[in-house]
Amino acid sequence: MKFLDVGCCTGTDIRMMISQGLATPENIRGIDLEQGFIDLGFDLFEDRDRLQKCFTVGTILGDGLPYEKEEFDVIYCGSVFHLFNEEDGIKLAQNILPCLKKGGILYGRTVGSSKDEPFEGDMGPRSQLRWMHTPTSLDAMLVKVGFATSESQSASLDMPGIANGSRQMIAFTATKAT
């Protein structure tokens, strides 16, 4: 199996999978926009020499991800979709789909709306507008861009001073058609 972590940040999830024997440096990759996050992971874990090949710095919203078509069995996208507006979230899902093998799985989590409808709102101090899905709207978007199935579940998310009861954490799984 080959894994990809989209928006890997410091790479803690990649390192956890390797340390638990769920992946090897040969079959897991991560991409993040910020070189500083990836470097921080190398500094914290002192493993640049062993894991350098696992990480790529690059955009996830350009003209596709820098990977081969149908290269990955599983793609993880944790706490990423809520960082973008609606249009860019759709572009992200469109960029992920070709990288998955037929029958491959996209899974992850995202901050979402606890209202009955998705909304665009700010997400803290930078006041950048971001799209907050509901489980239903996230599933619909993933199916609309080409995933065969999508299933999301949610739980309340308490973020005093930021969310004020309007957010929930959404866990999702989507499958590419076989």
Side-chain angles (χ1 to χ4, degrees):
M1 276 200 149
K2 196 159 182 190
F3 302 90
L4 173 63
D5 183 348
V6 173
C8 66
C9 195
T10 60
T12 54
D13 294 319
I14 289 171
R15 288 173 173 91
M16 185 245 350
M17 289 184 70
I18 291 171
S19 73
Q20 293 185 358
L22 301 171
T24 67
E26 291 70 41
N27 71 351
I28 193 165
R29 297 290 177 262
I31 185 170
D32 201 279
L33 181 62
E34 298 292 335
Q35 179 71 54
F37 290 148
I38 293 171
D39 287 341
L40 180 59
F42 289 138
D43 293 345
L44 287 170
F45 297 99
E46 300 177 347
D47 57 5
R48 183 183 304 267
D49 58 330
R50 193 168 70 88
L51 298 184
Q52 179 79 41
K53 65 183 170 189
C54 295
F55 297 96
T56 300
V57 176
T59 182
I60 54 178
L61 297 178
D63 293 328
L65 298 177
Y67 301 103
E68 298 294 321
K69 185 177 180 184
E70 298 186 358
E71 183 173 349
F72 299 98
D73 299 282
V74 178
I75 297 179
Y76 174 65
C77 191
S79 294
V80 177
F81 277 105
H82 67 265
L83 299 176
F84 303 107
N85 62 33
E86 183 180 20
E87 180 181 317
D88 287 344
I90 292 168
K91 179 71 173 169
L92 171 58
Q94 291 170 330
N95 284 347
I96 288 171
L97 188 63
C99 296
L100 271 174
K101 292 180 180 177
K102 291 180 172 110
I105 296 171
L106 167 67
Y107 78 102
R109 67 181 182 280
T110 189
V111 176
S113 171
S114 61
K115 300 176 180 180
D116 290 337
E117 297 180 355
F119 70 96
E120 193 166 58
D122 69 77
M123 188 63 181
R126 294 187 304 187
S127 295
Q128 179 180 351
L129 289 179
R130 299 163 186 202
W131 189 250
M132 300 291 129
H133 277 284
T134 65
T136 303
S137 71
L138 181 59
D139 289 339
M141 183 269 293
L142 291 170
V143 169
K144 183 176 181 180
V145 302
F147 285 89
T149 63
S150 180
E151 183 176 331
S152 299
Q153 297 181 342
S154 64
S156 295
L157 181 62
D158 185 22
M159 299 170 63
I162 296 175
N164 301 324
S166 63
R167 308 287 196 278
Q168 62 184 344
M169 185 60 72
I170 301 172
F172 63 90
T173 304
T175 306
K176 184 174 180 176
T178 56

